[in-house]
Amino acid sequence: MASGGGKKRTLTGRTFLCLLAVFVFLSGCQELASRRKIQRGNEAYTDGEYETAVTLYKQALKSQPQLAIGWYNLGIAYLGIFSPGLQNEKNDKMAREAIPAFKEYLKRFPDDTTARDAAIGTSVATPRARSP
């Protein structure tokens, strides 16, 4: 009788390990898919398709928010749409979206002066875009 109980635990242990392996595999697949979206966003950005780039970066970050480069690229793509000195709602919105993207990136890389300067510069260039 004791051997039957041990067999059940072993089977449960194997089941757990199989489920864990599937979870790890699927997590890796999700990260890979997000990295591919970031690459596609980079291509769109290079082609001057900033709004498409924004969409792709946001899709990637929705499932993998830990990908810091996605936050940086998202901020840069918003700045591609942003026009310093232009005062209209769309421009203000681009600034409002760029700043938190850079801040999210800076949580992971606080010493990146390029990202910090981009966030500060955008905030200074568009006072109306600052949060109340």
Side-chain angles (χ1 to χ4, degrees):
M1 207 184 236
S3 63
K7 189 174 185 181
K8 186 175 182 180
R9 278 191 219 127
T10 304
L11 183 59
T12 303
R14 287 183 187 155
T15 302
F16 174 76
L17 290 176
C18 286
L19 290 174
L20 182 62
V22 168
F23 175 76
V24 169
F25 175 75
L26 291 177
S27 295
C29 288
Q30 287 177 342
E31 183 172 340
L32 184 60
S34 291
R35 288 186 180 278
R36 285 187 181 142
K37 283 193 189 234
I38 289 172
Q39 288 174 340
R40 288 178 40 218
N42 293 346
E43 292 166 5
Y45 180 88
T46 299
D47 292 341
E49 298 172 9
Y50 305 122
E51 291 181 12
T52 299
V54 164
T55 299
L56 289 165
Y57 296 141
K58 287 171 76 174
Q59 288 173 356
L61 291 166
K62 185 175 182 179
S63 66
Q64 297 293 307
Q66 77 280 5
L67 294 176
I69 193 64
W71 291 109
Y72 180 81
N73 291 358
L74 180 60
I76 293 295
Y78 278 125
L79 291 185
I81 303 167
F82 174 75
S83 298
L86 181 62
Q87 294 187 359
N88 65 35
E89 185 55 37
K90 181 179 180 182
N91 205 49
D92 293 347
K93 182 177 188 243
M94 295 304 103
R96 280 193 305 270
E97 298 292 335
I99 294 165
F102 286 124
K103 286 182 178 179
E104 194 63 38
Y105 172 80
L106 287 165
K107 287 180 187 176
R108 293 155 178 87
F109 297 99
D111 296 331
D112 187 330
T113 57
T114 303
R116 188 172 50 238
D117 291 349
I120 292 169
T122 304
S123 181
V124 169
T126 312
R128 293 179 349 154
R130 291 188 200 128
S131 299

